Amino acid sequence: MNKLIDILNIQLPIIQGGMGNISNARLAAAVSNAGGLGTIGAGTMQPEEVEKIILETKQLTNKPFAVNVALSVSPYTKEILGMIIKHAVQAVSLSAGNPAPFIPKLKEHGVKVICVVASPKQAVKAEKAGADVIVAEGYEAAGINSNLETTTFTLIPQIASKVTVPIAAAGGIGDGKGLAAALALGASGVQMGTRLIATKEAPFHEEYKNTLLSADDQGTVIVGRSVGRVRRVLKTPYSDYLLEKEAIGITLEDFNGLTTEEHHKLGALQGKLDRGFINGGQISSIISDIPSVEDLFVCIMKDAKEELMRASNLI
Ligand SMILES: Cc1cc2nc3c(=O)[nH]c(=O)nc-3n(C[C@H](O)[C@H](O)[C@H](O)COP(=O)(O)O)c2cc1C
């Protein structure tokens, strides 16, 4: 009945967004064990590091999970995709680049391919190239966003009218209301990043989780717009510093130097909020607790069903 669930062989229409370099096996396995699709984020990691996390995840779950490769970020795309095939990982999510050259080989080996897009044009191209699932991400989302700055609410119905493969909506979804809205807009499920940071299993520093919990509607900012490298982060001393640099004028090269994965780890894993950044989406402002992934999903599914019933009574 739900193509997304059927294709990915999962129980709930929820995908964990890739979180390159900082998420771990425990979180991916917790998502998969709770019925969603857990994801390992390759980021800039060496193939051996990714392999280690794949093996750890396999120890923690016998359910399907995915590896995310951000194509313009990973220096090791080919090697990591080879590793995914070698270890028969069930799904791969490809983002931040053209997925077309990589899809045929993955599909030949039975790997389900999820393509992350930010426009209807990209979605149509990805479907033509063989994507099994499209993740459509609006710029409410945490982390690197498309320069197109499209919103989830407008993106989903446009893409739903143009592709036949199932769509997961990403960007700004953190509860049952969000899941219900995504389904109403034409998606078959959701991909979440920010909401999963505030879970018991997420391996992030307490300062990261606390900053997220205390964020209000102005709690995230876009850094990098002036150099064409749009990234949504939680407002911290380091994001203020980056914005000051941009206000004075900064080159793309210098901006990249200030937002390396080392700065990401400093913020997210070590809680050094004056020396590193922490990704966070606009949905941060409605997040106020740190449940286990399983409790979170039970609550999201229950609330989504209630919201869809409530809404249907309004018309
Ligand atoms: C800490 C963090 C790191 C992320 N890193 C990646 C990444 O490596 N690759 C990617 O495709 N998306 C990345 N994202 C985006 C998520 O996969 C997801 O699509 C996004 O968070 C969804 O929007 P939301 O934050 O509003 O839930 C990251 C998000 C977070 C929170």
Side-chain angles (χ1 to χ4, degrees), residues 16-22 41-43 68-70 73 93-96 116 135 137-138 140-145 169-174 191-197 204 208 231 261 264 268 278-284:
Q16 175 196 354
M19 300 184 201
N21 292 84
I22 59 165
N68 168 256
V69 183
V73 174
S93 105
L94 301 175
S95 56
V116 184
V135 167
E137 189 185 68
E140 296 91 328
I144 295 175
N145 280 321
I173 295 148
Q191 168 165 302
M192 299 190 301
T194 300
R195 175 64 262 200
L196 289 167
I197 295 166
F204 308 124
Y208 190 176
R231 181 192 279 275
E261 283 305 314
H264 190 192
I278 45 176
N279 292 329
Q282 287 184 321
I283 200 66
S284 299

Side-chain angles (χ1 to χ4, degrees), residues 118-130:
S119 76
K121 196 171 156 191
Q122 291 170 359
V124 169
K125 272 192 177 170
E127 182 177 49
K128 272 206 183 112

Side-chain angles (χ1 to χ4, degrees), residues 216-229:
D216 62 14
D217 60 319
Q218 302 299 305
T220 72
V221 288
I222 294 284
V223 294
R225 191 182 270 126
S226 68
V227 291
R229 193 99 173 113

